[in-house]
């Protein structure tokens, strides 16, 4: 399938290539990062206790989004948090300066370009350590394109269940939804994921 490209993701690609002395440097770091993502994803498949987690049983949910997506889903995440679930939102600003987004009742971690390393293709070690120290029941990836630093974190997660968009990804989700172009927003993706997640749980209870 062809991944949905956002303008933010396109801007990131341009910034990434500008961070190098030449295209060859970017290609090298991209290759090394993709290799590391594949290794981490394969390792997580062996050690991760993959299982379906019913919505009502999910107590901690980690969400990944870009800045625009975070702004779109902030209120919906607040509502989910009001149901007694802990929400940790990692959002990528794709800029050198932090945007300072925050949402009531939600633990927010902002990742800017200065929080990335190896040519802006992966998060710095302190970001990764903090992310990997989390023990979420579910990881929800609301990004619409396969941005390498996001894929790196997804591949590093030991969450029993991962939800996200069906896209050409190095670290695909366990449960994926495909969106029509008019629904191709983080808000539309979250709405669809919640619908299927909750209905799968209902179906399992009735079977």
């Amino acid at each position: 399938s062809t991944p949905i490209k956002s303008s933010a993701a396109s801007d990131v690609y341009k910034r990434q290539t500008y961070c190098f002395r030449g295209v060859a440097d970017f290609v090298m770091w991209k290759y090394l990062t993709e290799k590391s993502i594949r290794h981490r994803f394969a390792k997580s498949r062996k050690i991760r206790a993959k299982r379906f987690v019913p919505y009502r049983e999910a107590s901690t949910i980690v969400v990944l989004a870009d800045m625009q997506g975070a702004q779109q889903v902030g209120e919906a995440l607040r509502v989910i948090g009001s149901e007694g679930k802990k929400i940790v939102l990692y959002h990528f600003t794709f800029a050198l300066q932090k945007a300072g987004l925050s949402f009531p009742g939600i633990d927010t971690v902002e990742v800017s370009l200065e929080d990335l390393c190896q040519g802006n293709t992966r998060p710095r070690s302190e970001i990764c350590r903090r992310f990997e120290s989390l023990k979420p029941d579910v990881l929800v990836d609301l990004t619409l394109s396969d941005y390498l630093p996001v894929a790196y974190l997804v591949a590093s997660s030991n969450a029993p269940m991962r939800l996200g968009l069906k896209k050409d990804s190095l670290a695909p989700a366990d449960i994926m939804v495909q969106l029509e172009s008019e629904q191709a927003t983080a808000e539309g993706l979250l709405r669809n994921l919640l619908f299927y997640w909750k209905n799968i749980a209902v179906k399992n209870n009735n079977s």
Side-chain angles (χ1 to χ4, degrees), residues 67 89 91 93 97-101 108-112 115 127:
M67 185 173 66
L89 171 63
H91 70 90
T93 63
Q97 293 185 336
K98 295 185 182 294
L101 287 182
T108 304
V109 180
E110 185 171 3
V111 183
S112 67
D115 295 317
I127 297 289

Side-chain angles (χ1 to χ4, degrees), residues 16-163:
Q16 286 176 333
T17 57
Y18 293 155
C19 292
F20 301 93
R21 299 171 188 167
V23 175
D25 281 355
F26 174 72
V27 171
M28 178 189 70
W29 286 122
K30 183 173 182 289
Y31 166 78
L32 292 174
T33 300
E34 288 177 347
K35 182 178 180 181
S36 180
I37 290 171
R38 291 189 182 96
H39 173 74
R40 283 174 166 264
F41 186 73
K43 182 179 178 181
S44 74
R45 293 183 66 178
K46 296 179 180 179
I47 65 175
R48 185 169 64 106
K50 178 182 173 181
R51 67 181 180 89
F52 177 76
V53 180
Y55 180 80
R56 67 179 183 279
E57 296 179 12
S59 58
T60 302
I61 302 172
V62 171
V63 179
L64 304 178
D66 59 29
M67 185 173 66
Q68 182 180 11
Q71 291 171 327
Q72 292 175 2
V73 302
E75 177 59 23
L77 294 180
R78 187 195 66 77
V79 172
I80 295 172
S82 70
E83 298 174 355
K85 302 181 186 301
K86 179 180 180 181
I87 306 296
V88 182
L89 171 63
Y90 275 72
H91 70 90
F92 293 73
T93 63
F94 302 145
L96 288 173
Q97 293 185 336
K98 295 185 182 294
L101 287 182
S102 63
F103 304 96
I106 298 175
D107 291 343
T108 304
V109 180
E110 185 171 3
V111 183
S112 67
L113 285 182
E114 66 181 9
D115 295 317
L116 307 180
C117 64
Q118 292 203 344
N120 296 338
T121 56
R122 70 170 66 176
R124 294 188 184 279
S125 58
E126 56 268 27
I127 297 289
C128 293
R129 282 196 298 268
R130 181 176 178 182
F131 182 82
E132 292 170 17
S133 70
L134 300 171
K135 304 297 181 184
D137 302 295
V138 179
L139 175 71
V140 179
D141 179 7
L142 297 180
T143 58
L144 304 179
S145 58
D146 197 29
Y147 181 44
L148 287 179
V150 175
Y152 193 89
L153 290 183
V154 173
S156 304
S157 174
N158 288 323
M161 187 170 77
R162 300 167 176 164
L163 307 176

